[in-house]
Amino acid sequence: MTETPILHHFDSSPFSEKVRVVFGIKGLTWGSVDIPSLMPKPLYTPLTGGYRRTPSMQIGADVYCDSQVILAELERRFPTPAIVRGGLDWATNWWADRLFFQTTVPVIFGELGDHVPADFIKDREALSGRPFDVKAMKAASAPLTGQWRSQAAWIDSQLSGSAWLSGDAPGLADAAAYMNVWFLGRNLPGLMASLTTGLTRLTDWQARMAALGHGTPQKMSGEDALAMALSSEPAPAPAHDNHDPQGLKAGMAATVMADDYGRDPVSGTLVAANPDRVVIARTDPAVGKVHVHFPRTGYFVIPG
């Protein structure tokens, strides 16, 4: 059971959906721990050291924060069927996580307008460190729908030669791009239908993506996940890059934080840093010693 991936997530999380789709592509059985969408998250942050974004994945006493490093670890541990065909797949994932997502969010919340709950707004302001300005999103929503359709048309165009963005089988590029299509369609199906009118390859692909499913989730409690971490030891560390441009060294104190939003610092002892990820060791009474993994891209590593 300690090798079984455990996803800490909630149903409406788009980044969680990206991971859930990859579970489906790979046909994996996984532990499903529902976490709150809003703070506090008392059965979650002891694992992550204070990281509050969703999702994270746990395997024993290793915790993977951010969907980027989650998918990299799933590919490493469960390589068949492969989802990564090359480095440009990660570039597609970056576009979907940042540029396409930054278009999708104001379109959704601008359209929802006054229906956005006050507690959600307060939580997301704390997460981002800036006002969650629904009025501004509402003003921007109409112009951004054109941008959203333009990016959707890229997906449609890429599908002209095959059933999948990744080639002859679904992969990382498909899961990454689908995240935003799913997010808009879940919240505003009418607008989604309007913005994809005529993009028949995309809508057919969307149906194929949904049919992939989510593998085999098995419900777990947050308490059981914490107990599993406490009874486990972290896996051997990945290789450290001795040519690290920051001069990072294993054994030094380090703090990791996101470079965009949800910048809660996570501090510990550096285990390894390389172009793929940074890993720090930390301890908490609830989980014992854990290794917390972050992507190198999109995160600051601060020595000391």
Side-chain angles (χ1 to χ4, degrees):
M1 184 66 178
T2 57
E3 292 299 312
T4 300
I6 300 169
L7 191 68
H8 298 257
H9 66 126
F10 55 88
D11 285 347
S12 61
S13 161
F15 290 92
S16 299
E17 179 64 11
K18 177 168 57 168
V19 177
R20 294 187 296 248
V21 165
V22 171
F23 286 145
I25 294 171
K26 290 184 175 289
L28 296 178
T29 296
W30 51 283
S32 174
V33 177
D34 290 326
I35 65 172
S37 61
L38 310 179
M39 291 294 277
K41 303 180 183 185
L43 299 179
Y44 182 61
T45 51
L47 276 169
T48 65
Y51 177 87
R52 56 161 290 180
R53 285 159 54 162
T54 308
S56 73
M57 181 178 75
Q58 174 191 353
I59 301 181
D62 284 86
V63 182
Y64 303 87
C65 297
D66 194 286
S67 62
Q68 184 184 157
V69 78
I70 291 172
L71 298 185
E73 187 63 18
L74 288 174
E75 185 76 339
R76 188 186 74 82
R77 291 191 186 233
F78 308 99
T80 305
I83 60 166
V84 180
R85 276 69 172 184
L88 285 180
D89 281 350
W90 290 113
T92 300
N93 184 69
W94 187 253
W95 156 72
D97 278 6
R98 296 286 177 116
L99 298 177
F100 199 14
F101 185 65
Q102 289 165 5
T103 304
T104 304
V105 167
V107 167
I108 291 173
F109 289 101
E111 290 291 326
L112 292 176
D114 295 335
H115 298 290
V116 181
D119 58 346
F120 180 90
I121 292 174
K122 182 178 178 181
D123 181 83
R124 291 311 188 257
E125 287 181 337
L127 177 66
S128 66
R130 58 182 181 270
F132 192 90
D133 192 339
V134 175
K135 184 178 291 186
M137 291 184 191
K138 191 170 184 177
S141 180
L144 285 175
T145 56
Q147 293 192 25
W148 198 96
R149 180 171 165 83
S150 175
Q151 293 179 75
W154 294 346
I155 299 172
D156 188 79
S157 176
Q158 185 65 24
L159 292 165
S160 62
S162 67
W164 307 102
L165 297 176
S166 299
D168 59 0
L172 173 60
D174 295 277
Y178 176 69
M179 176 186 83
N180 290 287
V181 173
W182 174 88
F183 194 33
L184 181 59
R186 177 187 173 93
N187 286 281
L188 297 166
L191 181 61
M192 173 69 188
S194 175
L195 293 182
T196 56
T197 299
L199 303 180
T200 56
R201 288 184 294 258
L202 181 146
T203 53
D204 290 346
W205 165 84
Q206 180 186 4
R208 290 192 296 273
M209 290 298 298
L212 291 171
H214 294 156
T216 306
Q218 298 180 334
K219 287 286 187 182
M220 285 185 66
S221 69
E223 291 87 352
D224 285 345
L226 294 179
M228 181 169 290
L230 187 61
S231 65
S232 303
E233 291 293 328
H240 179 73
D241 180 8
N242 292 322
H243 303 287
D244 182 83
Q246 283 187 257
L248 299 175
K249 304 291 183 185
M252 70 190 322
T255 296
V256 182
M257 65 175 67
D259 68 5
D260 51 354
Y261 65 93
R263 298 185 181 189
D264 304 272
V266 180
S267 299
T269 301
L270 186 73
V271 175
N274 57 47
D276 174 60
R277 69 183 69 183
V278 57
V279 185
I280 63 170
R282 52 173 305 278
T283 59
D284 184 283
V287 296
K289 180 181 179 181
V290 293
H291 283 178
V292 187
H293 302 239
F294 297 90
R296 195 63 186 270
T297 302
Y299 286 78
F300 293 125
V301 185
I302 304 165

